[in-house]
Amino acid sequence: MLRFIGRRLLQAMFVLLIISVISFMIQDKLGDPVQQMVGQSVPQQDRLALQQDLGLNDPLLVQYGRFLGRALQGDLGTSYYYKEATLDIILSRLPATLELSFSALVLVILLATPLGVVAAIHPKSLLSRAILIFSTLGLSVPIFIVAVFLMYFFAIEWRLLPSFGRGETTWVMGLWQSGLFNKDGLLHLLLPSFSLAFVLTPMFIRLIRAEMIDALQSEYIRYAWSKGISASRIYFVHALKNTMLPVITVAGIQVGTLVAYTILTESIFQWPGMGLLFMEAVTRVDVPLISAYLMVVGVIFVVTNTVVDLVYSLVNPRVRLPGYGS
Amino acid sequence: MSLLKLENLSVTFGNFRAVDQISYSVNEGEVLGIVGESGSGKSVSSLSLMGLIDYPGKVSADQLTFMDQDLLSMPEAQRRKITGSDIAMIFQDPMTSLNPCFTVGYQIIEALKTHQGGTKKELKHRAIELLTLVGIPAPESRLSAYPHQLSGGMSQRVMIAIAIACNPKLLIADEPTTALDVTIQAQIIDLLIDLQKEKQMGLVLITHDLALVAEVAHRVIVMYAGQIVESGPASEVFSAPKHPYTQALLASLPESAAGRARLQALPGVVPGQYDRPKGCLLSPRCPYVTDHCRNVEPTSQGSLERQVKCHTPLNTQGRPAA
Ligand SMILES: Nc1ncnc2c1ncn2[C@@H]1O[C@H](COP(=O)(O)OP(=O)(O)O)[C@@H](O)[C@H]1O
Ligand SMILES: [Mg+2]
């Protein structure tokens, strides 16, 4: 077990290192920092001097070492536009994005579980076919179409829900700016989180359906029937528990995907999170901010994946990576 | 008194008759052995007794009664009440039959709760009692164990505990030791037979092990390709088999090899869905086959007590009668 954890952590470090290299390359190769800092009017000698001062003439490896050293101390550079530490800017937007991703994930599970289960129990019924068609179509409809549709009907046509922004927020323990604790914030959350949930719901319906069909064909389900217990217990206790273990793992891993998709959702709904920040940074060619965003999202990816793997191996001791059992 | 009675029970999957018009009965406190090669319909027939044949499989019978209640016509809810309490079943592979996601205690208590009820404390107490009864050491601590933490033999004991939890009148054990180590097999069988005697249950014991059947069964049924080819009191069937298939099964035992270098075996395999012959199903493999056998299917002769399905049953010398 210790060996398994050790190996998993080592892998995580390695991936983080690669992400840092990519971030570094972007910062180094995209745009000209000197130009960004001093503008047009400064004479050529001063520029060269500044280049020297900034260490831009050092060998690449030395520059990377410096970048990594700073990154480890939490210094991911300074935004050209905001003139503030990029990490601080991103972290101030993190709660909005995490709340959006988390509620989307909850919606995905709440929507996909009953649909997937129904489609597995009565695979030939009309309802199951409808669910399958929906999930197939859903896989191929891009998220911005869904988002624009939802916005058009619920916000513009019927005026039921706000169409942009995060609404009212409250500070939780002085650390976290949350929109989950008041009605206005929750109303604002509805459209964006439903749109974002749409990215994963079709896939999860299929996953849950497939896992459930597998479970229902297993010997332990036949045995459960032989014990005379009720059909609902067999479906929703015996089969569903076996179904949800792998599903929850995938859900954990997909947190990363959701965070990535927030770029689109947040842009459409002007949701003041990291994704919107990133889009703005791209239009302003705010290279340090872009590179810092990549680092932060990379860390989120790696951390969630690693945690999910470790938790899963604890919850389900039968499943260990090959060769690292017992 | 007869506990279970079936007459011309068939199970079909589409055109394929996995179980073909079988008739037998089990009395209270009786051990009925069912033997036959793999694929001869032993499992399917016992699953049909439990009401566990899934669509598109179809079960039909002229009679299928348990304690004089018609199992086929009774309401589903009533049948589900009998299933797992009055009729219980033990499956072949305990490692895949117990649900991997739930503890041993949970799975035992679930059976108790479904059919008997009781307070949490009573249920737990009863579960510990059951584990003790099936010879599991430190039963209290086993309650919180997951199936994968138990050995095959232990898991099979747990399944037996669940099966007897609600004091069944009839217990069906489908090859209960096939998946276990040879060293464990005898222990599990001993446990089953002890429990059967103690509780005077009817026991349907499905097995490949003819020697075992000869030892513990009162009566025996020999199945081939979904049909009962011979049945009768165990001692009679084994000492004077009337069907060529039974004779061949007995000849294939190591005990009867008596110094010969090779065990005797019938050539060929049980015909499956697509290669069922015309006439007698054994005809391609039978050493005594005649043209008549190849063309006309024999009917069951004799009584329910001693049936044989052969045109030319063997006489006491082990030769075709006519
Ligand atoms: N669900 C099913 N659909 C179609 N055929 C089946 C099904 N279950 C079992 N069979 C067939 O029924 C026959 C009898 O199987 P089974 O009762 O398991 O044999 P046994 O237990 O004697 O080894 C086999 O030919 C098997 O392939
Ligand atoms: Mg079988």
Side-chain angles (χ1 to χ4, degrees), chain A residues 204-270:
Chain A
F204 270 78
I205 290 177
R206 298 185 146 250
L207 177 69
I208 290 171
R209 175 178 169 274
E211 291 287 341
M212 184 85 175
I213 285 179
D214 256 15
L216 286 177
Q217 281 169 349
S218 65
E219 194 71 2
Y220 57 78
I221 290 300
R222 173 175 275 179
Y223 176 62
W225 283 110
S226 86
K227 285 165 77 179
I229 54 187
S230 68
S232 59
R233 272 197 80 78
I234 288 171
Y235 292 138
F236 296 106
V237 178
H238 281 260
L240 193 59
K241 185 150 185 203
N242 283 277
T243 302
M244 286 322 264
L245 268 179
V247 170
I248 284 177
T249 323
V250 177
I253 292 167
Q254 295 296 343
V255 169
T257 311
L258 280 181
V259 170
Y261 269 99
T262 54
I263 296 179
L264 270 171
T265 322
E266 290 183 1
S267 305
I268 294 167
F269 292 99
Q270 293 295 300

Side-chain angles (χ1 to χ4, degrees), chain A residues 133-153:
Chain A
I133 289 172
F134 162 78
S135 66
T136 313
L137 284 180
L139 279 177
S140 47
V141 175
I143 177 178
F144 58 86
I145 296 209
V146 177
V148 169
F149 250 90
L150 286 177
M151 193 195 271
Y152 177 74
F153 283 108

Side-chain angles (χ1 to χ4, degrees), chain A residues 53-254:
Chain A
D53 281 352
L54 287 173
L56 295 178
N57 295 333
D58 294 344
L60 217 54
L61 213 57
V62 175
Q63 289 190 44
Y64 172 68
R66 207 156 40 214
F67 171 86
L68 196 62
R70 288 204 202 110
L72 285 177
Q73 290 163 25
D75 176 7
L76 295 180
T78 305
S79 159
Y80 295 152
Y81 178 81
Y82 293 97
K83 315 277 188 238
E84 279 176 50
T86 49
L87 189 62
D88 291 346
I89 303 172
I90 292 174
L91 287 184
S92 72
R93 303 287 196 101
L94 187 68
T97 294
L98 286 189
E99 283 184 0
L100 175 60
S101 312
F102 179 74
S103 12
L105 195 64
V106 171
L107 279 177
V108 170
I109 299 287
L110 287 182
L111 289 171
T113 307
L115 293 178
V117 167
V118 166
I121 294 178
H122 303 293
K124 296 237 163 81
S125 75
L126 222 59
L127 182 60
S128 305
R129 283 168 210 260
I131 292 170
L132 265 193
I133 289 172
F134 162 78
S135 66
T136 313
L137 284 180
L139 279 177
S140 47
V141 175
I143 177 178
F144 58 86
I145 296 209
V146 177
V148 169
F149 250 90
L150 286 177
M151 193 195 271
Y152 177 74
F153 283 108
F154 286 92
I156 299 171
E157 205 51 28
W158 301 329
R159 301 186 171 280
L160 292 174
L161 293 169
S163 64
F164 68 88
R166 215 181 159 199
E168 239 178 87
T169 56
T170 44
W171 283 91
V172 179
M173 300 196 295
L175 288 171
W176 186 277
Q177 199 180 1
S178 172
L180 297 180
F181 296 97
N182 61 72
K183 195 171 159 223
D184 189 53
L186 287 175
L187 283 180
H188 277 82
L189 186 59
L190 272 177
L191 284 184
S193 56
F194 256 101
S195 310
L196 188 55
F198 205 83
V199 174
L200 288 183
T201 304
M203 176 194 142
F204 270 78
I205 290 177
R206 298 185 146 250
L207 177 69
I208 290 171
R209 175 178 169 274
E211 291 287 341
M212 184 85 175
I213 285 179
D214 256 15
L216 286 177
Q217 281 169 349
S218 65
E219 194 71 2
Y220 57 78
I221 290 300
R222 173 175 275 179
Y223 176 62
W225 283 110
S226 86
K227 285 165 77 179
I229 54 187
S230 68
S232 59
R233 272 197 80 78
I234 288 171
Y235 292 138
F236 296 106
V237 178
H238 281 260
L240 193 59
K241 185 150 185 203
N242 283 277
T243 302
M244 286 322 264
L245 268 179
V247 170
I248 284 177
T249 323
V250 177
I253 292 167
Q254 295 296 343

Side-chain angles (χ1 to χ4, degrees), chain B residues 29-33 90 133-134 160 164 171 173 176-177 185-207 212-218:
Chain B
E30 181 182 51
V31 180
L32 173 73
I90 297 166
L133 197 61
V134 296
I160 294 174
I164 60 169
L171 182 59
T177 59
Q185 292 184 353
Q187 297 173 16
I188 295 292
I189 291 293
D190 286 347
L191 172 66
L192 265 179
I193 297 299
D194 285 349
L195 287 169
Q196 182 272 330
K197 286 202 176 109
E198 189 186 316
K199 296 181 177 288
Q200 275 301 297
M201 296 180 285
L203 173 65
V204 175
L205 181 62
I206 298 172
T207 174
L212 171 68
V213 172
E215 194 184 316
V216 303
H218 303 116

Side-chain angles (χ1 to χ4, degrees), chain B residues 8 19 24 32 54 56 72 116 119 143-144 190 193 272 278 292 316:
Chain B
N8 293 328
V19 175
Y24 66 81
L32 173 73
D54 293 327
L72 289 181
Q116 298 179 336
T119 65
L143 284 183
S144 54
D190 286 347
I193 297 299
K278 207 170 116 196
H292 187 54
T316 40

